[in-house]
Amino acid sequence: MAERIAVIDFETTGMSPAQGARPTEVGVAMIEGGVIVARYQSLMNAGAWVPPFIEQLTGISNAMLRGAPPVAQVMAEVADFVGDAPLLAHNAAFDMKFWDAELGLLGRRRTRDFACSLLLSRRLLPEAPSHKLGSLNSWAGLPGTGQAHRALADAEMAANLTLHLQQLLWARHEIRADHGYLCALQKLSAAKVRGLLRLDA
DNA sequence: TGCCAGGCCCTCTTTAGGGCCTT
C-alpha cells in the first residue's frame, strides 16, 4: 500500500507563536500513490488581530475571521483529518511551530516527523533561481493551484513539488523516496547530498 | 526606549556575516 503524506500549510497573523502569532487558516493536501487523494481547508478564529500587511498578503481579513469557526474546533478537525500520516511543509520549521503550539493548546501532541520541501528542493534542485514555493513551482513547470498565500493552494503547491522531487529521485537515481527517506535526506548537508547523488556531475 | 524568529547555506568562513524562506 502506498504511503500517505500530509502536506500542510498555515496562514497566520505573524512569524512565530512565541511572538503571539496565531493561525488564521490551515490547508492540507494528502498525497498517496503519486497524486493528491484528499484535501482539507478551513479558516479559523483564534481571536487574533490580522495586521494590514498580512491581510494584503493573504487576502484573509479580520471580517472574514469573525465568521470563521473557533480555532480549537478547526485544529481538532484537521488533526483528525491528518491522523497518523507523516507530515511535510515548505519551510517546515515555520508550520511545525504553529502545528505543535496549537495542538498543545488542545492537549494533543504530534507523533510524526515533519519533512521540509524547502530543504529538499535546495538539495535536489540547487540550480533553481529561487526556492520560494511559487517560484519553484513555476520554474519546474508544475500546475497552478489557485490563489497563492491561501492555505490549500499553497499546500497543493508543496504537494505537487514533493511529488516532483520523488519522481526526480526515481527517474535519475531509482530511489523510492518515502517520507523516512526524505527526512533522512534533508538532514544531510547540501554538499553531501550533491556528492551522494552526483548532482554536480 | 527600541527592538523583537530561527534554521539553513554560502563564502571574500570556521575567532563571521549576510541572504534566504515561511506569515
Side-chain angles (χ1 to χ4, degrees):
Chain A
M1 181 175 168
E3 178 193 40
R4 290 162 75 92
I5 300 177
V7 183
I8 289 174
D9 185 77
F10 277 111
E11 305 305 321
T12 73
T13 62
M15 294 306 299
S16 170
Q19 296 176 293
R22 300 296 301 277
T24 58
E25 185 176 48
V26 63
V28 180
M30 191 74 74
I31 58 177
E32 181 178 7
V35 295
I36 296 172
V37 295
R39 295 168 174 82
Y40 179 95
Q41 174 170 256
S42 180
L43 292 168
M44 62 186 109
N45 186 348
W49 177 70
V50 182
F53 166 73
I54 301 290
E55 186 171 328
Q56 189 167 25
L57 178 72
T58 65
I60 298 170
S61 67
N62 288 292
M64 289 164 68
L65 296 184
R66 276 195 288 275
V71 61
Q73 175 187 324
V74 174
M75 288 306 304
E77 278 179 9
V78 71
D80 290 342
F81 178 83
V82 168
D84 63 355
L87 302 149
L88 182 145
H90 197 71
N91 197 7
F94 175 86
D95 295 277
M96 184 169 65
K97 281 187 295 189
F98 284 93
W99 183 260
D100 289 351
E102 296 298 332
L103 285 193
L105 293 175
L106 299 181
R108 297 173 70 155
R109 289 184 60 186
R110 174 169 57 88
T111 57
R112 305 298 300 269
D113 283 339
F114 257 93
C116 176
S117 57
L118 171 62
L119 294 180
L120 290 164
S121 63
R122 280 177 173 163
R123 283 153 177 70
L124 298 172
L125 302 172
E127 70 276 28
S130 163
H131 292 90
K132 287 182 184 176
L133 182 58
S135 303
L136 263 178
N137 274 47
S138 299
W139 177 81
L142 300 173
T145 58
Q147 184 186 348
H149 295 297
R150 289 301 297 264
L152 184 57
D154 282 4
E156 287 193 36
M157 270 202 288
N160 288 335
L161 175 61
T162 301
L163 295 172
H164 176 73
L165 294 174
Q166 287 179 313
Q167 288 165 6
L168 182 151
L169 282 165
W170 175 246
R172 290 191 195 165
H173 310 289
E174 297 194 353
I175 293 167
R176 292 202 186 280
D178 63 8
H179 186 269
Y181 186 90
L182 296 177
C183 284
L185 194 64
Q186 74 187 25
K187 287 176 184 166
L188 299 176
S189 72
K192 191 159 189 173
V193 170
R194 279 199 299 274
L196 191 66
L197 299 179
R198 302 179 186 281
L199 296 176
D200 292 329

